[in-house]
Amino acid sequence: MSIAHGPEIVVLKPSKPTSLLAALLLHPGTVVSTTYLLRAVWDEEPPATARAALQTCVLRLRRLFAKYGISATTIEAVPGGYRMHNDPETLDLVLFRTLAAQAASAAGPGEELYRLREALSLWQGQPLANVASRLLRQDAVPALEQERLRVLERVCDLELAAGNCHQVLVDLYEGARRHPVRERFTEQLIEALYRTGRQAEALAEYRTVRDRLRDELGIDPGQGLRRLELAILRAEDLAPAPRETVRAVTAVEAPALPSGAAVPARSARAVLPVPAFAGRENDRRTMAAGLTSADGPRLVVVSGAPGIGKSALARQTAYEVQDAFPGGVFTLQLARPDGTAIAVEEAAQLLPETGAGRRLIVLDGAAGAWQVLPLLPAAGDAAVLVTSRRGLAAVVATHGGSVHRLDALRPAEAYALLAGLVGAERIGAEPAAARELATVCGHFPLALRIAAGRLLTRPGLSVADCAAWLAEDPPARLALAEDARLSVPEVLGQALDSLAPELREAFFRLGTRAADEDLSAVESEAVLEQLVETGLLEDGPPGPYRLHDFLRVYARWHVRTHETAGAAAAAAPH
């Protein structure tokens, strides 16, 4: 505590008058009872002469105030106690609360941030550091600290929303370290690290706080932290949409979407790299050359099986070429979280308007050519990058461009992805087991990220034990319960549910065949070609049709599971 008199600042010494002053200032404008003041000043049972001594302390404070030009009536004696009248001009605590209240009713985030930063600047060191009263330090200091931390959390939220991730890292590191059980600071720190391209540090921060909570408190991280970890593993874009984009989306939400449906995301902000992205060098190089070509509009389609990494490749490529598009990079999700496609009319309303500078538009998760073709004329001179399980032959046939059909990762790429997600040291300690784990996952990026998630949430689990456990029943065990999008049965089941029944049954029949068997001898070419178009089968004439080993494992698991369930149902008493 201190008194400011012009340029002079007087720091009060720990004493009974200082404790009395602190007790009064903590309750500005309020009558503070004599009983409470006696406890605050003496801590223990006050002596018989305490009331007289309390009056002496008041007199000493009044003389001190008079010395520094403060009115002697500042401390007012009232029935039952004393009261101090303070305002924002005379007490920092009142000014802090006034600024916080003004921030809450600010016209915009810029003004709110300014007011809150001004409020935080009033804090100098630990509250009541020179106050001897144990009662005040135990009761008042934690409450004051909570007030400050709430403001600091809001400041960090505003800075993150404005994209100032680098600038706020110092505040977040300090907040997370000093207040480890206050999970919001850790959430903000992890988000800031992730959005500045430091994905490995973000995941390491999560692991640190998770271990600390388990070891010291015996609890798991809250839902916010767990959702954030899953978002990083899924390589989601955490940056908030600009205000004008939010308004544009809201304008079409009510008439276009059914109740409870998620509004597709459209963004025009800096694209972040995909965490631990590995491989696909040739694809990325060729796609970048096509998208940035000076010959005019370009169209690139990325297709392939569910979970093979189409969206990740598109986002990584967009990140690498974004400097070539001064008009911005816009991402439009063409499917809702449950896999259903949004209507063309909805998608058209979310396309960006033509602006200054060339743009890149990413159409992610197209259900078919019917969804893409109507959007291309509205894209104008923008470069367009489309991801879809389907090959979209009708799109490239009418608009040109190129198609990149993705295969599973090469073994070295799958190993690199695991090392990037889990940590090079942990994976490098068991290289043979890591390669076996990648094989169990079929070198599919989705399965590899799920396996990495299991290792990250179980720091004591060896890579070898994880691989052996998953190998016993890969499709069923490659799932994280918190999110259906990180579940092999959910993702592949959703893809198959969208097929006609005859195609779905054909896929399961093909899955039961040997890897070297000629699939054209099992199904007609028309059926095989349709499965190729849906991303569930590869190649075809003039070469042989091919089913990914991982999809074959899934198909056999599905058939076996349903046959077992059917037999159990038939044997059950009726």
Side-chain angles (χ1 to χ4, degrees):
M1 289 180 55
S2 62
I3 296 175
H5 178 58
E8 184 179 2
I9 297 179
V10 179
V11 178
L12 301 179
K13 296 180 179 179
S15 64
K16 286 181 171 56
T18 300
S19 295
L20 171 62
L21 179 60
L24 292 170
L25 293 178
L26 286 168
H27 304 86
T30 303
V31 176
V32 185
S33 71
T34 301
T35 302
Y36 177 82
L37 292 175
L38 291 174
R39 291 175 52 224
V41 173
W42 274 272
D43 276 321
E44 300 172 355
E45 190 68 26
T49 59
R51 288 182 180 270
L54 187 66
Q55 293 176 352
T56 301
C57 290
V58 171
L59 291 175
R60 290 176 60 185
L61 287 174
R62 285 173 174 167
R63 292 192 195 103
L64 181 66
F65 294 163
K67 177 180 178 180
Y68 292 103
I70 301 173
S71 171
T73 60
T74 299
I75 300 180
E76 179 186 3
V78 296
Y82 293 88
R83 175 171 56 200
M84 286 193 70
H85 292 282
N86 295 100
D87 56 32
E89 299 295 326
T90 59
L91 181 61
D92 282 350
L93 180 60
V94 175
L95 179 56
F96 171 82
R97 290 169 175 168
T98 300
L99 289 169
Q102 291 174 347
S105 58
E111 180 186 347
E112 182 183 3
L113 182 59
Y114 175 81
R115 296 292 184 194
L116 294 179
R117 282 289 189 193
E118 187 179 2
L120 287 176
S121 70
L122 299 172
W123 290 80
Q124 304 292 330
Q126 181 70 17
L128 308 186
N130 56 335
V131 175
S133 171
R134 291 193 303 274
L135 172 72
L136 295 182
R137 289 202 304 271
Q138 291 171 1
D139 293 351
V141 171
L144 290 173
E145 185 68 1
Q146 289 303 309
E147 285 190 67
R148 184 185 74 86
L149 292 177
R150 282 194 294 269
V151 170
L152 180 57
E153 282 182 354
R154 180 58 183 161
V155 164
C156 294
D157 278 336
L158 291 169
E159 295 281 21
L160 290 173
N164 302 327
C165 300
H166 284 287
Q167 295 90 319
V168 81
L169 277 173
V170 173
D171 286 332
L172 291 176
Y173 270 121
E174 181 181 3
R177 297 296 182 267
R178 291 190 176 183
H179 310 280
V181 298
R182 199 177 181 97
E183 292 188 15
R184 182 59 190 144
F185 281 129
T186 302
E187 290 176 21
Q188 293 170 323
L189 174 59
I190 292 173
E191 178 181 344
L193 289 170
Y194 176 57
R195 288 173 56 189
T196 52
R198 297 155 70 175
Q199 297 90 342
E201 290 180 59
L203 288 171
E205 196 69 33
Y206 173 83
R207 292 194 292 270
T208 299
V209 72
R210 177 203 60 203
D211 295 344
R212 183 166 56 238
L213 289 172
R214 288 178 176 174
D215 294 342
E216 297 179 6
L217 301 177
I219 61 175
D220 287 323
Q223 288 187 357
L225 277 171
R226 295 200 301 271
R227 283 195 298 265
L228 192 57
E229 183 209 17
L230 289 172
I232 295 174
L233 290 172
R234 290 196 304 261
E236 288 185 350
D237 187 357
L238 299 180
R243 288 193 159 202
E244 59 274 16
T245 299
V246 172
R247 284 198 297 269
V249 171
T250 303
V252 302
E253 179 179 4
L257 297 180
S259 174
V263 179
R266 176 187 68 172
S267 61
R269 50 181 173 260
V271 182
L272 297 175
V274 175
F277 190 89
R280 314 286 197 203
E281 287 87 357
N282 290 337
D283 287 303
R284 285 152 55 197
R285 190 181 308 111
T286 306
M287 289 165 61
L291 292 169
T292 59
S293 170
D295 298 336
R298 297 294 296 172
L299 173 68
V300 173
V301 174
V302 180
S303 69
I308 205 146
K310 302 179 292 297
S311 296
L313 174 60
R315 177 176 159 188
Q316 183 69 19
T317 302
Y319 162 75
E320 293 170 357
V321 302
Q322 61 184 317
D323 290 344
F325 296 94
V329 177
F330 295 80
T331 301
L332 177 58
Q333 299 291 337
L334 296 182
R336 295 183 177 86
D338 63 359
T340 58
I342 69 170
V344 173
E345 293 77 11
E346 298 169 30
Q349 293 183 67
L350 297 173
L351 282 173
E353 297 179 358
T354 302
R358 193 163 182 239
R359 301 157 300 148
L360 172 61
I361 298 176
V362 181
L363 302 177
D364 194 19
W370 64 268
Q371 201 179 25
V372 176
L373 286 171
L375 300 178
L376 294 180
D381 63 349
V384 179
L385 176 54
V386 186
T387 72
S388 177
R389 293 169 186 165
R390 298 182 175 273
L392 303 184
V395 175
V396 294
T398 55
H399 288 76
S402 60
V403 178
H404 291 257
R405 182 82 174 191
L406 299 189
D407 208 331
L409 294 174
R410 295 191 292 270
E413 295 171 337
Y415 184 96
L417 180 56
L418 286 173
L421 290 169
V422 180
E425 182 177 351
R426 187 173 176 187
I427 293 298
E430 300 179 77
R435 287 190 287 271
E436 176 60 25
L437 178 59
T439 300
V440 171
C441 293
H443 303 115
F444 263 54
L446 170 66
L448 291 164
R449 288 186 179 275
I450 294 171
R454 178 164 292 278
L455 286 169
L456 288 169
T457 55
R458 292 166 173 79
L461 179 65
S462 71
V463 179
D465 286 344
C466 181
W469 182 78
L470 289 175
E472 292 176 4
D473 197 0
R477 293 180 174 178
L478 279 167
L480 299 182
E482 295 91 339
D483 197 315
R485 289 172 292 180
L486 285 173
S487 165
V488 167
E490 290 290 339
V491 171
L492 296 183
Q494 189 182 92
L496 287 164
D497 287 344
S498 67
L499 300 182
E502 58 272 18
L503 287 180
R504 188 162 56 245
E505 293 304 317
F507 170 79
F508 291 132
R509 285 195 297 271
L510 293 173
T512 62
R513 301 293 175 169
D516 57 354
E517 188 170 350
D518 182 5
L519 299 183
S520 59
V522 180
E523 299 291 342
S524 68
E525 184 173 301
V527 168
L528 296 174
E529 282 295 306
Q530 289 181 73
L531 288 174
V532 169
E533 174 61 16
T534 61
L536 295 170
L537 205 59
E538 301 302 319
D539 300 325
Y545 291 97
R546 177 174 57 92
L547 185 64
H548 283 299
D549 289 340
F550 189 68
L551 295 184
R552 179 177 287 103
V553 170
Y554 169 79
R556 291 176 176 175
W557 168 82
H558 185 278
V559 171
R560 183 176 66 252
T561 301
H562 281 66
E563 286 178 348
T564 302
H574 296 286

